Amino acid sequence: MFMKLFQNEWMKMNSKRQGLYFNLFIIALMGGIGLVIKLFVKGASEEMDAYMFLSLLSQMMPMIIMLFGVVIGAQIVTDEFKDGTIKQLLIRPASRASVLMSKYVAAIGMFLLTYVVMIVAGFAIGAVLFGVGEGSIIDQIVSISYGIPFSIFLLTVSFAAGVFTTSLGLSIGIGLFINIFSSMFGLMAGTKEWSKYVVLKYTSLAPYAKGAVDSLGVNMWFALTIVILSIALFAILSIVRFKTREIN
């Protein structure tokens, strides 16, 4: 039953073509960046190869993809309430938790697919414009993945906000506010002992790569555990709220 619900959500998301249009936008943007470097940045274009280009993109694209994740996380729930189609979903012989989680998993799937498009298309564009060169695509993928857990957390927050408020604008705003505040949090409380238990500290797991430990004794596994627990918390809160919510 869950797989059928997931497939239904996936088809609904694809029918709106938001993922397609966004992925085309990402590809066009990366192509534009590559052409600017190729045509106007002579020194850089001579040294650049596909691996270096993908490394450059990994510093620029994740923020844009994160915004997309926040939007789809909020929209996949709030659109059902806005259009009044939420009632049709709930008359099916499936629990409310299954209905909600099928939406959540579909949103995460669409979000992760965009990263796949970025990596494949980015490397291909780099190879065409600058040549392949020498490097490791695995190293690039690992580097890009360090920011994905926190982006999924923001998607989950927007998703939960959508369940609680049914307002698209407010749900997106909450996700973006938390993202902005996380940067301030790192500056204000990043060195305090209690801060290591707050997910806002872990916007990227890159500082803990290759077994590194920070001044508070935090390593990769501790940081990842905090992020996963925070994601689970907001997912559970959204389920509890959705199961007890009156649908008019």
Side-chain angles (χ1 to χ4, degrees):
M1 177 60 72
F2 181 83
M3 283 305 300
K4 289 183 179 180
L5 290 170
F6 170 77
Q7 291 170 356
N8 180 62
E9 293 301 328
W10 189 260
M11 287 189 293
K12 286 198 301 185
M13 292 178 70
N14 283 308
S15 68
K16 296 179 180 179
R17 306 210 180 269
Q18 287 176 301
L20 174 62
Y21 294 146
F22 183 77
N23 287 329
L24 290 175
F25 165 73
I26 286 290
I27 293 171
L29 181 59
M30 293 189 298
I33 293 171
L35 286 174
V36 168
I37 296 173
K38 180 73 173 180
L39 298 175
F40 301 107
V41 189
K42 293 300 182 182
S45 65
E46 293 172 359
E47 299 177 358
M48 187 74 68
D49 61 26
Y51 296 103
M52 294 176 63
F53 183 64
L54 186 57
S55 178
L56 175 65
L57 293 176
S58 71
Q59 302 174 39
M60 304 171 65
M61 295 295 108
M63 178 60 69
I64 300 173
I65 297 175
M66 179 275 294
L67 295 175
F68 175 67
V70 167
V71 170
I72 60 174
Q75 190 175 40
I76 198 168
V77 175
T78 56
D79 275 3
E80 297 285 3
F81 284 98
K82 182 185 71 175
D83 299 335
T85 53
I86 190 68
K87 295 179 182 178
Q88 299 174 15
L89 290 174
L90 299 183
I91 61 175
R92 300 185 178 189
S95 67
R96 287 195 177 193
S98 295
V99 170
L100 188 66
M101 285 299 98
S102 67
K103 290 181 170 295
Y104 178 60
V105 174
I108 291 178
M110 184 65 71
F111 169 73
L112 294 178
L113 178 61
T114 305
Y115 267 99
V116 174
V117 171
M118 184 201 87
I119 293 169
V120 174
F123 186 82
I125 292 169
V128 170
L129 293 177
F130 309 109
V132 175
E134 296 182 0
S136 170
I137 190 68
I138 299 299
D139 290 343
Q140 296 300 325
I141 293 173
V142 170
S143 178
I144 292 169
S145 69
Y146 288 139
I148 292 179
F150 188 76
S151 292
I152 292 178
F153 166 73
L154 293 175
L155 183 155
T156 308
V157 170
S158 295
F159 181 84
V163 175
F164 275 85
T165 69
T166 71
S167 168
L168 177 60
L170 184 57
S171 301
I172 294 174
I174 289 172
L176 296 182
F177 172 78
I178 290 178
N179 180 56
I180 295 171
F181 183 72
S182 65
S183 300
M184 299 170 58
F185 179 86
L187 295 173
M188 295 185 299
T191 59
K192 298 184 183 299
E193 180 69 21
W194 56 265
S195 69
K196 68 181 182 181
Y197 300 105
V198 181
V199 66
L200 300 183
K201 179 180 173 66
Y202 307 113
T203 55
S204 173
L205 300 179
Y208 312 103
K210 298 180 180 180
V213 179
D214 68 10
S215 60
L216 298 177
V218 175
N219 59 21
M220 174 69 76
W221 293 111
F222 184 91
L224 187 59
T225 298
I226 294 297
V227 177
I228 291 174
L229 289 176
S230 301
I231 291 172
L233 173 63
F234 279 92
I236 291 170
L237 288 174
S238 66
I239 291 173
V240 172
R241 174 55 178 160
F242 192 67
K243 289 178 71 173
T244 57
R245 188 184 190 97
E246 291 186 11
I247 306 297
N248 298 319

